Structures are given as C-alpha cells and as structure tokens.
Amino acid sequence: LIRQAKRSGFATSLVKAKDFWAKDIDSLDVGYLYHQENLRAAKRGVHITRIFILEGEGSLSDLRIRKVMLEQFHAGIEIRVAFIDHLPPELREDFGIWDNETVCKVSVARDSNKVVGASYETSAGELLRANRLRERLMKDSLPVSEALQDDPDFQIPIPPHA
C-alpha cells in the first residue's frame, strides 16, 4: 500500500524493533524493505505519521530502533512514540490507514513476534474505527523530539525557507 499511497499514511509499529525494523537493517528483509518504501514515499510528498509502540522506555536505548526512527524523522515522517504498558488493550494494534481509503491490519505471531499476515479493509465503518484509534493514539503518544531529547544525533530539521 505504501507504494501506491499518494497523499497520506498513518501506521503503528507494534512489532519488536529487533525482530522487524532493525534486526537485519543492512540486508534485504521485510522490515528493511518497508523502511526504504517509507523513505521513498516521504520523498515523493506522502505525509506519513508513524507511532512506534514500544515495550517500555528501555526500548529507546536500542541503537537500532533509534537509527530507524531518526532516518524516518529526517526523511520528513512524523514519528511518535508510545509505550505499550501505558496503553489500554484496545490501542495495542498494528495497523495503517493509507490515503484515508484503506485500512491495513497486521497480524503478528505472539510467540515469535514475526509478521505473519495482513488484512485490508475499505469499508466506511472500518475507516471510522481506525481513525478513532489513530486519534486516541496521537493523544497517548509523544513526539520523537520529546522521546529522544537526550540523543545528540537527534536534531529538528530546519526548513529550507528559514
């Protein structure tokens, strides 16, 4: 879906960073390829918001996930962070909303924490439900600038017209 996105994308990331985004960040695995597609979409002008739902504040010390967050942030993706133990169960969902037309729900195996599938919905009811979850998650998450304020590599990009 991210390859076809024209205007916007919202996605959560509930999978463990070391098992998806950063495990083999230098190889051609699913997480790496998805990461690259996100960077390309941002470059072509798609406004993307991603909320990383992490196991706890200690997860922020993992340099691999910090690298992914910073690369996406510097590409223009709005990055936010939430901690799973601070969220009610109904907000602990891995999903995305693309161009406000399609909802993608990601299935993750609890024993291995691997992505095992995805389902896609375009009904008005599912879009409404997903947008309500998005609104609640936006309120219950922190901008990456607050979550990584102690990181010397984190810098807010200065707009070219400034």
Side-chain angles (χ1 to χ4, degrees):
L1 285 174
I2 194 159
R3 286 182 184 156
Q4 286 80 35
K6 292 178 177 52
R7 297 178 310 278
S8 64
F10 169 86
T12 61
S13 180
L14 185 57
V15 295
K16 291 181 183 174
K18 65 180 181 170
D19 294 333
F20 183 74
W21 292 102
K23 180 180 179 189
D24 296 313
I25 196 73
D26 297 320
S27 69
L28 296 179
D29 68 350
V30 173
Y32 177 79
L33 295 173
Y34 182 59
H35 174 65
Q36 294 300 310
E37 289 297 334
N38 277 267
L39 300 178
R40 282 192 273 281
K43 189 173 184 175
R44 71 174 187 268
V46 177
H47 178 266
I48 300 171
T49 300
R50 166 155 297 100
I51 299 179
F52 285 89
I53 301 174
L54 303 175
E55 289 184 348
E57 293 183 30
S59 299
L60 287 172
S61 64
D62 185 329
L63 295 178
R64 297 166 296 180
I65 192 60
R66 289 169 88 102
K67 177 182 177 184
V68 172
M69 287 182 192
L70 290 169
E71 284 181 4
Q72 290 188 12
F73 175 82
H74 288 299
I77 297 171
E78 179 183 357
I79 301 296
R80 299 182 67 83
V81 176
F83 301 105
I84 199 163
D85 53 339
H86 297 182
L87 295 175
E90 66 272 14
L91 295 183
R92 300 172 186 180
E93 188 173 325
D94 205 338
F95 73 103
I97 306 169
W98 301 100
D99 287 332
N100 208 32
E101 296 172 357
T102 305
V103 176
C104 173
K105 294 189 221 175
V106 178
S107 301
V108 178
R110 293 290 166 216
D111 58 338
S112 66
N113 202 48
K114 301 263 185 208
V115 174
V116 294
S119 62
Y120 305 92
E121 293 274 344
T122 58
S123 70
E126 185 56 31
L127 283 164
L128 179 63
R129 185 191 79 79
N131 276 303
R132 285 182 177 155
L133 287 177
R134 178 190 58 80
E135 288 172 16
R136 290 182 62 198
L137 281 163
M138 291 296 287
K139 290 178 185 171
D140 288 348
S141 61
L142 298 170
V144 72
S145 58
E146 289 180 36
L148 295 181
Q149 63 188 348
D150 65 324
D151 189 329
D153 293 328
F154 177 78
Q155 299 171 8
I156 297 175
I158 299 170
H161 62 279

